[in-house]
Amino acid sequence: MTDAKQQPKDGDVLIRVEDLSKNFANLKVLKGINTTISRGEKVVIIGPSGSGKSTFLRCLNRLERATSGKIIVDGEDILAMRERDVNCVRQKMGMVFQHFNLFGHLTIRKNITLAPVKLKLMTQQEADEKASELLEKVGLYDKADAYPSQLSGGQKQRIAIARSLAMDPEIMLFDEPTSALDPEMVGEVLELMKELADSGMTMVVVTHEMGFAKEVASRVMFMDDGNIIEEAPPQEFFDNPKNSRTKLFLSRIL
Amino acid sequence: MEDFKQKFHDTFITDDRWKYLVEGLENTLIITLFAALLGIVIGFAVAIVRSTHDRTGKLKILNLVSRVYLTVIRGTPMVVQLMIMYFVIFATLHAKYKIYVAILSFGINSGAYVAEIVRSGIMSIDNGQFEAGSSLGLSYPRTMFYVIMPQAFKNVLPALANEVIVLLKETSVAGYIGMEDLTKKGDIIRGATYEAYLPLLAVALIYLIMVMILTWLVSKLERRLRRNDRR
């Protein structure tokens, strides 16, 4: 939450990551990540599978607890926070998952309104209005009273995005949002993400969609073997990669 | 045929013996109902403690208590637990309160089975549901209550219904502490008439009908809960 006298502006640092490491038992997944994410940025993270990109993303809202390092959000290290305070931080960080993770027992409308209402940020009526607005935006207004199992994968992911947006997040994290979709449904989700990017949302996206990276990213981050190998604006990154591993990766996928 | 009529009359009509069965049924239903409620309360609590411990590593002591409870209750026969409860733990209690002892004993026993059923239900829920709840800023208890439990409950409903059916039939051992439940009352009629076949058949039939009614009610409830799974 930002008060009136200090308007947030593009370029303010939202998240600062310092020397972040993550081990699973003896496996070192992240080996000292340093980076910052600023308001308005669209960071697209790419890299081979097992490179640690999803783990890195999940560390940002502490779904995955990093082993060492710092993640500074609003001047506070979320790794040192109590669970209750982390929950507050998460309210401002939307997350979209590969497998949607919609709540199967609730209607679409309830999926969207559950968190704002139970966290007492909105009344049910306010939340319902917000849900209608968001459903209109993602083009699924007619599905408000359907259940998740009645939707296609692409529709589910658009609802998952709407559900995150209902919390008015300052930043959205996307963990391979199109990887579980049938090819013909990838487009509708990417389209919505582009609209979101155009509206000024700060986004961090782990994806294999190079077209999306080229078109939407303000910065492409290439990860391999638990490290950030190279970071650059998309044009520079794709046309003129500097690191040999980046070159090798790009030669394989493009 | 005349013989049968006479036996039927002796068993059910003479001295209003059918009323025995009604009284017994009443006790059986009271014990079952309250023991089931108690079992569900205990079972959900224990299941939540156990799965919270498995997921987060917290609640160590409560988890240990829960595991001891499950081991002891599931490792000893119901009748023995009932008798220990009545003749040892509540030995000084007046006999007129024995129905409370029965409810407590059956409830504690059922809770252990309900706990494992509910825990399996919680474990059947995809981890992504927890993560989605967390990512929206919902605390662990809120995620548990609003997201996980409703789905877990739906998944385990048939198993829970089965547990209630088992409990209903298991209350037939309440006679061991002199509780006059349906089975015991049937036995009293048998003792009075020296005729075993009719009262036992009647008792069996009454249990069967109750179980069938329960099964029917549960399938109705299940259909209601499944409504959101339909494509």
mmCIF file with all atom_site columns, all heavy atoms in Angstrom, chain A residues 149-171:
data_model
loop_
_atom_site.group_PDB
_atom_site.id
_atom_site.type_symbol
_atom_site.label_atom_id
_atom_site.label_alt_id
_atom_site.label_comp_id
_atom_site.label_asym_id
_atom_site.label_entity_id
_atom_site.label_seq_id
_atom_site.pdbx_PDB_ins_code
_atom_site.Cartn_x
_atom_site.Cartn_y
_atom_site.Cartn_z
_atom_site.occupancy
_atom_site.B_iso_or_equiv
_atom_site.pdbx_formal_charge
_atom_site.auth_seq_id
_atom_site.auth_comp_id
_atom_site.auth_asym_id
_atom_site.auth_atom_id
_atom_site.pdbx_PDB_model_num
ATOM 1   N N   . SER A 1 149 ? -14.191 -27.071 -13.508 1.00 0.00 ? 149 SER A N   1
ATOM 2   C CA  . SER A 1 149 ? -14.128 -28.272 -14.339 1.00 0.00 ? 149 SER A CA  1
ATOM 3   C C   . SER A 1 149 ? -14.905 -28.111 -15.645 1.00 0.00 ? 149 SER A C   1
ATOM 4   O O   . SER A 1 149 ? -14.767 -28.920 -16.552 1.00 0.00 ? 149 SER A O   1
ATOM 5   C CB  . SER A 1 149 ? -14.663 -29.471 -13.560 1.00 0.00 ? 149 SER A CB  1
ATOM 6   O OG  . SER A 1 149 ? -15.997 -29.248 -13.188 1.00 0.00 ? 149 SER A OG  1
ATOM 7   N N   . GLN A 1 150 ? -15.725 -27.081 -15.727 1.00 0.00 ? 150 GLN A N   1
ATOM 8   C CA  . GLN A 1 150 ? -16.507 -26.868 -16.952 1.00 0.00 ? 150 GLN A CA  1
ATOM 9   C C   . GLN A 1 150 ? -15.773 -25.988 -17.971 1.00 0.00 ? 150 GLN A C   1
ATOM 10  O O   . GLN A 1 150 ? -16.301 -25.700 -19.024 1.00 0.00 ? 150 GLN A O   1
ATOM 11  C CB  . GLN A 1 150 ? -17.855 -26.223 -16.595 1.00 0.00 ? 150 GLN A CB  1
ATOM 12  C CG  . GLN A 1 150 ? -18.724 -27.124 -15.724 1.00 0.00 ? 150 GLN A CG  1
ATOM 13  C CD  . GLN A 1 150 ? -19.891 -26.383 -15.100 1.00 0.00 ? 150 GLN A CD  1
ATOM 14  O OE1 . GLN A 1 150 ? -19.722 -25.325 -14.490 1.00 0.00 ? 150 GLN A OE1 1
ATOM 15  N NE2 . GLN A 1 150 ? -21.080 -26.925 -15.238 1.00 0.00 ? 150 GLN A NE2 1
ATOM 16  N N   . LEU A 1 151 ? -14.563 -25.546 -17.619 1.00 0.00 ? 151 LEU A N   1
ATOM 17  C CA  . LEU A 1 151 ? -13.839 -24.632 -18.492 1.00 0.00 ? 151 LEU A CA  1
ATOM 18  C C   . LEU A 1 151 ? -12.695 -25.339 -19.220 1.00 0.00 ? 151 LEU A C   1
ATOM 19  O O   . LEU A 1 151 ? -12.180 -26.347 -18.758 1.00 0.00 ? 151 LEU A O   1
ATOM 20  C CB  . LEU A 1 151 ? -13.238 -23.477 -17.679 1.00 0.00 ? 151 LEU A CB  1
ATOM 21  C CG  . LEU A 1 151 ? -14.180 -22.621 -16.839 1.00 0.00 ? 151 LEU A CG  1
ATOM 22  C CD1 . LEU A 1 151 ? -13.411 -21.462 -16.255 1.00 0.00 ? 151 LEU A CD1 1
ATOM 23  C CD2 . LEU A 1 151 ? -15.351 -22.126 -17.647 1.00 0.00 ? 151 LEU A CD2 1
ATOM 24  N N   . SER A 1 152 ? -12.287 -24.761 -20.336 1.00 0.00 ? 152 SER A N   1
ATOM 25  C CA  . SER A 1 152 ? -11.090 -25.245 -21.041 1.00 0.00 ? 152 SER A CA  1
ATOM 26  C C   . SER A 1 152 ? -9.854  -24.737 -20.314 1.00 0.00 ? 152 SER A C   1
ATOM 27  O O   . SER A 1 152 ? -9.934  -23.846 -19.467 1.00 0.00 ? 152 SER A O   1
ATOM 28  C CB  . SER A 1 152 ? -11.093 -24.726 -22.471 1.00 0.00 ? 152 SER A CB  1
ATOM 29  O OG  . SER A 1 152 ? -10.795 -23.345 -22.477 1.00 0.00 ? 152 SER A OG  1
ATOM 30  N N   . GLY A 1 153 ? -8.702  -25.303 -20.659 1.00 0.00 ? 153 GLY A N   1
ATOM 31  C CA  . GLY A 1 153 ? -7.454  -24.886 -20.017 1.00 0.00 ? 153 GLY A CA  1
ATOM 32  C C   . GLY A 1 153 ? -7.184  -23.396 -20.162 1.00 0.00 ? 153 GLY A C   1
ATOM 33  O O   . GLY A 1 153 ? -6.834  -22.717 -19.193 1.00 0.00 ? 153 GLY A O   1
ATOM 34  N N   . GLY A 1 154 ? -7.379  -22.890 -21.363 1.00 0.00 ? 154 GLY A N   1
ATOM 35  C CA  . GLY A 1 154 ? -7.134  -21.465 -21.601 1.00 0.00 ? 154 GLY A CA  1
ATOM 36  C C   . GLY A 1 154 ? -8.056  -20.593 -20.767 1.00 0.00 ? 154 GLY A C   1
ATOM 37  O O   . GLY A 1 154 ? -7.637  -19.584 -20.196 1.00 0.00 ? 154 GLY A O   1
ATOM 38  N N   . GLN A 1 155 ? -9.317  -21.019 -20.683 1.00 0.00 ? 155 GLN A N   1
ATOM 39  C CA  . GLN A 1 155 ? -10.280 -20.270 -19.866 1.00 0.00 ? 155 GLN A CA  1
ATOM 40  C C   . GLN A 1 155 ? -9.890  -20.305 -18.398 1.00 0.00 ? 155 GLN A C   1
ATOM 41  O O   . GLN A 1 155 ? -9.953  -19.298 -17.703 1.00 0.00 ? 155 GLN A O   1
ATOM 42  C CB  . GLN A 1 155 ? -11.683 -20.845 -20.061 1.00 0.00 ? 155 GLN A CB  1
ATOM 43  C CG  . GLN A 1 155 ? -12.251 -20.560 -21.449 1.00 0.00 ? 155 GLN A CG  1
ATOM 44  C CD  . GLN A 1 155 ? -13.567 -21.292 -21.704 1.00 0.00 ? 155 GLN A CD  1
ATOM 45  O OE1 . GLN A 1 155 ? -13.815 -22.348 -21.142 1.00 0.00 ? 155 GLN A OE1 1
ATOM 46  N NE2 . GLN A 1 155 ? -14.405 -20.723 -22.552 1.00 0.00 ? 155 GLN A NE2 1
ATOM 47  N N   . LYS A 1 156 ? -9.458  -21.501 -17.952 1.00 0.00 ? 156 LYS A N   1
ATOM 48  C CA  . LYS A 1 156 ? -9.039  -21.620 -16.550 1.00 0.00 ? 156 LYS A CA  1
ATOM 49  C C   . LYS A 1 156 ? -7.899  -20.655 -16.240 1.00 0.00 ? 156 LYS A C   1
ATOM 50  O O   . LYS A 1 156 ? -7.892  -19.999 -15.204 1.00 0.00 ? 156 LYS A O   1
ATOM 51  C CB  . LYS A 1 156 ? -8.560  -23.044 -16.256 1.00 0.00 ? 156 LYS A CB  1
ATOM 52  C CG  . LYS A 1 156 ? -9.670  -24.043 -16.065 1.00 0.00 ? 156 LYS A CG  1
ATOM 53  C CD  . LYS A 1 156 ? -9.076  -25.401 -15.718 1.00 0.00 ? 156 LYS A CD  1
ATOM 54  C CE  . LYS A 1 156 ? -10.123 -26.483 -15.925 1.00 0.00 ? 156 LYS A CE  1
ATOM 55  N NZ  . LYS A 1 156 ? -9.587  -27.820 -15.863 1.00 0.00 ? 156 LYS A NZ  1
ATOM 56  N N   . GLN A 1 157 ? -6.936  -20.586 -17.153 1.00 0.00 ? 157 GLN A N   1
ATOM 57  C CA  . GLN A 1 157 ? -5.790  -19.725 -16.880 1.00 0.00 ? 157 GLN A CA  1
ATOM 58  C C   . GLN A 1 157 ? -6.189  -18.253 -16.887 1.00 0.00 ? 157 GLN A C   1
ATOM 59  O O   . GLN A 1 157 ? -5.672  -17.468 -16.090 1.00 0.00 ? 157 GLN A O   1
ATOM 60  C CB  . GLN A 1 157 ? -4.675  -20.007 -17.899 1.00 0.00 ? 157 GLN A CB  1
ATOM 61  C CG  . GLN A 1 157 ? -3.298  -19.524 -17.479 1.00 0.00 ? 157 GLN A CG  1
ATOM 62  C CD  . GLN A 1 157 ? -2.812  -20.126 -16.169 1.00 0.00 ? 157 GLN A CD  1
ATOM 63  O OE1 . GLN A 1 157 ? -3.436  -19.940 -15.114 1.00 0.00 ? 157 GLN A OE1 1
ATOM 64  N NE2 . GLN A 1 157 ? -1.717  -20.847 -16.213 1.00 0.00 ? 157 GLN A NE2 1
ATOM 65  N N   . ARG A 1 158 ? -7.125  -17.888 -17.756 1.00 0.00 ? 158 ARG A N   1
ATOM 66  C CA  . ARG A 1 158 ? -7.595  -16.491 -17.750 1.00 0.00 ? 158 ARG A CA  1
ATOM 67  C C   . ARG A 1 158 ? -8.303  -16.181 -16.433 1.00 0.00 ? 158 ARG A C   1
ATOM 68  O O   . ARG A 1 158 ? -8.164  -15.080 -15.882 1.00 0.00 ? 158 ARG A O   1
ATOM 69  C CB  . ARG A 1 158 ? -8.519  -16.232 -18.939 1.00 0.00 ? 158 ARG A CB  1
ATOM 70  C CG  . ARG A 1 158 ? -7.728  -16.054 -20.242 1.00 0.00 ? 158 ARG A CG  1
ATOM 71  C CD  . ARG A 1 158 ? -8.462  -16.578 -21.435 1.00 0.00 ? 158 ARG A CD  1
ATOM 72  N NE  . ARG A 1 158 ? -9.634  -15.794 -21.792 1.00 0.00 ? 158 ARG A NE  1
ATOM 73  C CZ  . ARG A 1 158 ? -10.597 -16.216 -22.635 1.00 0.00 ? 158 ARG A CZ  1
ATOM 74  N NH1 . ARG A 1 158 ? -10.495 -17.417 -23.183 1.00 0.00 ? 158 ARG A NH1 1
ATOM 75  N NH2 . ARG A 1 158 ? -11.621 -15.448 -22.904 1.00 0.00 ? 158 ARG A NH2 1
ATOM 76  N N   . ILE A 1 159 ? -9.057  -17.170 -15.913 1.00 0.00 ? 159 ILE A N   1
ATOM 77  C CA  . ILE A 1 159 ? -9.719  -16.970 -14.615 1.00 0.00 ? 159 ILE A CA  1
ATOM 78  C C   . ILE A 1 159 ? -8.675  -16.865 -13.498 1.00 0.00 ? 159 ILE A C   1
ATOM 79  O O   . ILE A 1 159 ? -8.790  -16.045 -12.594 1.00 0.00 ? 159 ILE A O   1
ATOM 80  C CB  . ILE A 1 159 ? -10.697 -18.129 -14.310 1.00 0.00 ? 159 ILE A CB  1
ATOM 81  C CG1 . ILE A 1 159 ? -11.842 -18.155 -15.315 1.00 0.00 ? 159 ILE A CG1 1
ATOM 82  C CG2 . ILE A 1 159 ? -11.233 -18.029 -12.885 1.00 0.00 ? 159 ILE A CG2 1
ATOM 83  C CD1 . ILE A 1 159 ? -12.686 -16.905 -15.341 1.00 0.00 ? 159 ILE A CD1 1
ATOM 84  N N   . ALA A 1 160 ? -7.629  -17.707 -13.600 1.00 0.00 ? 160 ALA A N   1
ATOM 85  C CA  . ALA A 1 160 ? -6.583  -17.650 -12.569 1.00 0.00 ? 160 ALA A CA  1
ATOM 86  C C   . ALA A 1 160 ? -5.947  -16.262 -12.544 1.00 0.00 ? 160 ALA A C   1
ATOM 87  O O   . ALA A 1 160 ? -5.627  -15.732 -11.474 1.00 0.00 ? 160 ALA A O   1
ATOM 88  C CB  . ALA A 1 160 ? -5.525  -18.721 -12.828 1.00 0.00 ? 160 ALA A CB  1
ATOM 89  N N   . ILE A 1 161 ? -5.774  -15.675 -13.725 1.00 0.00 ? 161 ILE A N   1
ATOM 90  C CA  . ILE A 1 161 ? -5.212  -14.322 -13.789 1.00 0.00 ? 161 ILE A CA  1
ATOM 91  C C   . ILE A 1 161 ? -6.185  -13.323 -13.156 1.00 0.00 ? 161 ILE A C   1
ATOM 92  O O   . ILE A 1 161 ? -5.798  -12.480 -12.344 1.00 0.00 ? 161 ILE A O   1
ATOM 93  C CB  . ILE A 1 161 ? -4.888  -13.938 -15.261 1.00 0.00 ? 161 ILE A CB  1
ATOM 94  C CG1 . ILE A 1 161 ? -3.735  -14.818 -15.770 1.00 0.00 ? 161 ILE A CG1 1
ATOM 95  C CG2 . ILE A 1 161 ? -4.534  -12.462 -15.367 1.00 0.00 ? 161 ILE A CG2 1
ATOM 96  C CD1 . ILE A 1 161 ? -3.468  -14.701 -17.268 1.00 0.00 ? 161 ILE A CD1 1
ATOM 97  N N   . ALA A 1 162 ? -7.464  -13.477 -13.486 1.00 0.00 ? 162 ALA A N   1
ATOM 98  C CA  . ALA A 1 162 ? -8.470  -12.590 -12.902 1.00 0.00 ? 162 ALA A CA  1
ATOM 99  C C   . ALA A 1 162 ? -8.496  -12.721 -11.383 1.00 0.00 ? 162 ALA A C   1
ATOM 100 O O   . ALA A 1 162 ? -8.620  -11.733 -10.653 1.00 0.00 ? 162 ALA A O   1
ATOM 101 C CB  . ALA A 1 162 ? -9.853  -12.907 -13.482 1.00 0.00 ? 162 ALA A CB  1
ATOM 102 N N   . ARG A 1 163 ? -8.353  -13.951 -10.896 1.00 0.00 ? 163 ARG A N   1
ATOM 103 C CA  . ARG A 1 163 ? -8.372  -14.181 -9.453  1.00 0.00 ? 163 ARG A CA  1
ATOM 104 C C   . ARG A 1 163 ? -7.221  -13.432 -8.767  1.00 0.00 ? 163 ARG A C   1
ATOM 105 O O   . ARG A 1 163 ? -7.408  -12.826 -7.717  1.00 0.00 ? 163 ARG A O   1
ATOM 106 C CB  . ARG A 1 163 ? -8.261  -15.679 -9.172  1.00 0.00 ? 163 ARG A CB  1
ATOM 107 C CG  . ARG A 1 163 ? -8.272  -16.034 -7.704  1.00 0.00 ? 163 ARG A CG  1
ATOM 108 C CD  . ARG A 1 163 ? -8.255  -17.514 -7.467  1.00 0.00 ? 163 ARG A CD  1
ATOM 109 N NE  . ARG A 1 163 ? -7.002  -18.145 -7.899  1.00 0.00 ? 163 ARG A NE  1
ATOM 110 C CZ  . ARG A 1 163 ? -6.729  -19.437 -7.738  1.00 0.00 ? 163 ARG A CZ  1
ATOM 111 N NH1 . ARG A 1 163 ? -7.617  -20.234 -7.186  1.00 0.00 ? 163 ARG A NH1 1
ATOM 112 N NH2 . ARG A 1 163 ? -5.580  -19.925 -8.147  1.00 0.00 ? 163 ARG A NH2 1
ATOM 113 N N   . SER A 1 164 ? -6.046  -13.464 -9.395  1.00 0.00 ? 164 SER A N   1
ATOM 114 C CA  . SER A 1 164 ? -4.916  -12.735 -8.826  1.00 0.00 ? 164 SER A CA  1
ATOM 115 C C   . SER A 1 164 ? -5.150  -11.229 -8.872  1.00 0.00 ? 164 SER A C   1
ATOM 116 O O   . SER A 1 164 ? -4.822  -10.514 -7.935  1.00 0.00 ? 164 SER A O   1
ATOM 117 C CB  . SER A 1 164 ? -3.632  -13.054 -9.593  1.00 0.00 ? 164 SER A CB  1
ATOM 118 O OG  . SER A 1 164 ? -3.233  -14.368 -9.322  1.00 0.00 ? 164 SER A OG  1
ATOM 119 N N   . LEU A 1 165 ? -5.737  -10.775 -9.986  1.00 0.00 ? 165 LEU A N   1
ATOM 120 C CA  . LEU A 1 165 ? -5.938  -9.338  -10.143 1.00 0.00 ? 165 LEU A CA  1
ATOM 121 C C   . LEU A 1 165 ? -6.947  -8.781  -9.149  1.00 0.00 ? 165 LEU A C   1
ATOM 122 O O   . LEU A 1 165 ? -6.922  -7.600  -8.824  1.00 0.00 ? 165 LEU A O   1
ATOM 123 C CB  . LEU A 1 165 ? -6.397  -9.026  -11.577 1.00 0.00 ? 165 LEU A CB  1
ATOM 124 C CG  . LEU A 1 165 ? -5.335  -9.227  -12.659 1.00 0.00 ? 165 LEU A CG  1
ATOM 125 C CD1 . LEU A 1 165 ? -5.949  -8.981  -14.039 1.00 0.00 ? 165 LEU A CD1 1
ATOM 126 C CD2 . LEU A 1 165 ? -4.153  -8.294  -12.435 1.00 0.00 ? 165 LEU A CD2 1
ATOM 127 N N   . ALA A 1 166 ? -7.826  -9.644  -8.659  1.00 0.00 ? 166 ALA A N   1
ATOM 128 C CA  . ALA A 1 166 ? -8.838  -9.190  -7.698  1.00 0.00 ? 166 ALA A CA  1
ATOM 129 C C   . ALA A 1 166 ? -8.207  -8.648  -6.432  1.00 0.00 ? 166 ALA A C   1
ATOM 130 O O   . ALA A 1 166 ? -8.818  -7.877  -5.698  1.00 0.00 ? 166 ALA A O   1
ATOM 131 C CB  . ALA A 1 166 ? -9.790  -10.339 -7.357  1.00 0.00 ? 166 ALA A CB  1
ATOM 132 N N   . MET A 1 167 ? -6.980  -9.033  -6.160  1.00 0.00 ? 167 MET A N   1
ATOM 133 C CA  . MET A 1 167 ? -6.278  -8.545  -4.974  1.00 0.00 ? 167 MET A CA  1
ATOM 134 C C   . MET A 1 167 ? -5.550  -7.229  -5.228  1.00 0.00 ? 167 MET A C   1
ATOM 135 O O   . MET A 1 167 ? -4.828  -6.743  -4.360  1.00 0.00 ? 167 MET A O   1
ATOM 136 C CB  . MET A 1 167 ? -5.270  -9.594  -4.486  1.00 0.00 ? 167 MET A CB  1
ATOM 137 C CG  . MET A 1 167 ? -5.885  -10.893 -3.998  1.00 0.00 ? 167 MET A CG  1
ATOM 138 S SD  . MET A 1 167 ? -6.862  -10.684 -2.506  1.00 0.00 ? 167 MET A SD  1
ATOM 139 C CE  . MET A 1 167 ? -5.571  -10.290 -1.338  1.00 0.00 ? 167 MET A CE  1
ATOM 140 N N   . ASP A 1 168 ? -5.720  -6.667  -6.425  1.00 0.00 ? 168 ASP A N   1
ATOM 141 C CA  . ASP A 1 168 ? -5.008  -5.443  -6.800  1.00 0.00 ? 168 ASP A CA  1
ATOM 142 C C   . ASP A 1 168 ? -3.514  -5.541  -6.537  1.00 0.00 ? 168 ASP A C   1
ATOM 143 O O   . ASP A 1 168 ? -2.934  -4.697  -5.829  1.00 0.00 ? 168 ASP A O   1
ATOM 144 C CB  . ASP A 1 168 ? -5.572  -4.231  -6.025  1.00 0.00 ? 168 ASP A CB  1
ATOM 145 C CG  . ASP A 1 168 ? -6.880  -3.763  -6.619  1.00 0.00 ? 168 ASP A CG  1
ATOM 146 O OD1 . ASP A 1 168 ? -7.013  -3.842  -7.851  1.00 0.00 ? 168 ASP A OD1 1
ATOM 147 O OD2 . ASP A 1 168 ? -7.753  -3.331  -5.845  1.00 0.00 ? 168 ASP A OD2 1
ATOM 148 N N   . PRO A 1 169 ? -2.857  -6.528  -7.116  1.00 0.00 ? 169 PRO A N   1
ATOM 149 C CA  . PRO A 1 169 ? -1.433  -6.710  -6.817  1.00 0.00 ? 169 PRO A CA  1
ATOM 150 C C   . PRO A 1 169 ? -0.580  -5.613  -7.451  1.00 0.00 ? 169 PRO A C   1
ATOM 151 O O   . PRO A 1 169 ? -0.993  -4.971  -8.423  1.00 0.00 ? 169 PRO A O   1
ATOM 152 C CB  . PRO A 1 169 ? -1.117  -8.066  -7.447  1.00 0.00 ? 169 PRO A CB  1
ATOM 153 C CG  . PRO A 1 169 ? -2.083  -8.196  -8.568  1.00 0.00 ? 169 PRO A CG  1
ATOM 154 C CD  . PRO A 1 169 ? -3.330  -7.501  -8.112  1.00 0.00 ? 169 PRO A CD  1
ATOM 155 N N   . GLU A 1 170 ? 0.606   -5.424  -6.874  1.00 0.00 ? 170 GLU A N   1
ATOM 156 C CA  . GLU A 1 170 ? 1.551   -4.470  -7.453  1.00 0.00 ? 170 GLU A CA  1
ATOM 157 C C   . GLU A 1 170 ? 2.447   -5.161  -8.463  1.00 0.00 ? 170 GLU A C   1
ATOM 158 O O   . GLU A 1 170 ? 3.092   -4.515  -9.274  1.00 0.00 ? 170 GLU A O   1
ATOM 159 C CB  . GLU A 1 170 ? 2.420   -3.864  -6.343  1.00 0.00 ? 170 GLU A CB  1
ATOM 160 C CG  . GLU A 1 170 ? 1.611   -3.032  -5.372  1.00 0.00 ? 170 GLU A CG  1
ATOM 161 C CD  . GLU A 1 170 ? 2.470   -2.325  -4.358  1.00 0.00 ? 170 GLU A CD  1
ATOM 162 O OE1 . GLU A 1 170 ? 3.598   -2.787  -4.106  1.00 0.00 ? 170 GLU A OE1 1
ATOM 163 O OE2 . GLU A 1 170 ? 1.991   -1.319  -3.812  1.00 0.00 ? 170 GLU A OE2 1
ATOM 164 N N   . ILE A 1 171 ? 2.505   -6.485  -8.340  1.00 0.00 ? 171 ILE A N   1
ATOM 165 C CA  . ILE A 1 171 ? 3.370   -7.248  -9.232  1.00 0.00 ? 171 ILE A CA  1
ATOM 166 C C   . ILE A 1 171 ? 2.727   -8.613  -9.467  1.00 0.00 ? 171 ILE A C   1
ATOM 167 O O   . ILE A 1 171 ? 2.044   -9.144  -8.589  1.00 0.00 ? 171 ILE A O   1
ATOM 168 C CB  . ILE A 1 171 ? 4.786   -7.391  -8.623  1.00 0.00 ? 171 ILE A CB  1
ATOM 169 C CG1 . ILE A 1 171 ? 5.700   -8.219  -9.517  1.00 0.00 ? 171 ILE A CG1 1
ATOM 170 C CG2 . ILE A 1 171 ? 4.738   -8.000  -7.234  1.00 0.00 ? 171 ILE A CG2 1
ATOM 171 C CD1 . ILE A 1 171 ? 7.167   -8.171  -9.086  1.00 0.00 ? 171 ILE A CD1 1
#
